[in-house]
Amino acid sequence: MEQRLSLVTLGVSDLGRARRFYEALGWTTRAEPDDDVVFFQAGGMIVALWGRDQLAEDSGVADGGGWGGITLAYNTRSQDEVDAVVEEARAAGARIAREPAATFWGGYSAVFVDPDGHPWEVAYNPHWQIGEDGSVTLPD
């Protein structure tokens, strides 16, 4: 198996609400209004929204309804971009779990939570490079 990730699927309780939230962040999709899954191109990978019940059944897991133990991250090119992204998320209806601030590891980050409880860290890491396509490269 190659060391890469192709797709992240978020299980959502209300697909229409979730779609509107991500579109309010400026994300675009080619999904039709009545499609049962919504795909977003996210740099070199894809983020999908799908009904939580369908995702649990398809994945062969029991859904306890709690947090799944995964945090998504969006890395930025500057501290100012962290602030701007958090404000976009706030305006779209996200709960801000951690306001932007300096971190113990020398960066700057915040956390917002989407309407279905999926946490997103928004971070500036001065040690990582971000390509024009949004790809992130670890230092040598």
Side-chain angles (χ1 to χ4, degrees):
M1 180 176 176
E2 295 177 32
Q3 187 170 313
R4 62 182 170 82
L5 182 64
S6 304
L7 172 77
V8 172
T9 303
L10 302 178
V12 300
S13 60
D14 181 328
L15 185 61
R17 178 189 69 185
R19 179 180 182 159
R20 287 187 300 277
F21 174 80
Y22 284 94
E23 288 176 335
L25 290 179
W27 291 30
T28 59
T29 180
R30 293 186 197 146
E32 296 295 325
D34 59 346
D35 285 352
D36 68 345
V37 65
V38 177
F39 294 103
F40 296 97
Q41 186 70 52
M45 62 177 295
I46 296 167
V47 173
L49 306 175
W50 196 17
R52 190 174 179 101
D53 292 342
Q54 294 99 320
L55 180 60
E57 181 180 347
D58 186 65
S59 301
V61 298
D63 182 7
W67 176 55
I70 295 174
T71 299
L72 304 169
Y74 179 86
N75 282 78
T76 68
R77 294 173 180 87
S78 70
Q79 292 183 18
D80 289 341
E81 191 179 353
V82 171
D83 295 338
V85 169
V86 168
E87 290 311 312
E88 285 182 68
R90 189 186 318 269
R95 177 176 65 83
I96 308 305
R98 183 166 40 86
E99 293 289 339
T103 66
F104 69 91
W105 45 266
Y108 184 80
S109 73
V111 174
F112 72 81
V113 181
D114 80 3
D116 285 282
H118 300 290
W120 282 80
E121 180 183 29
V122 181
Y124 168 66
N125 185 331
H127 308 291
W128 291 5
Q129 292 184 353
I130 301 177
E132 287 193 28
D133 67 351
S135 59
V136 179
T137 303
L138 294 171
D140 291 332

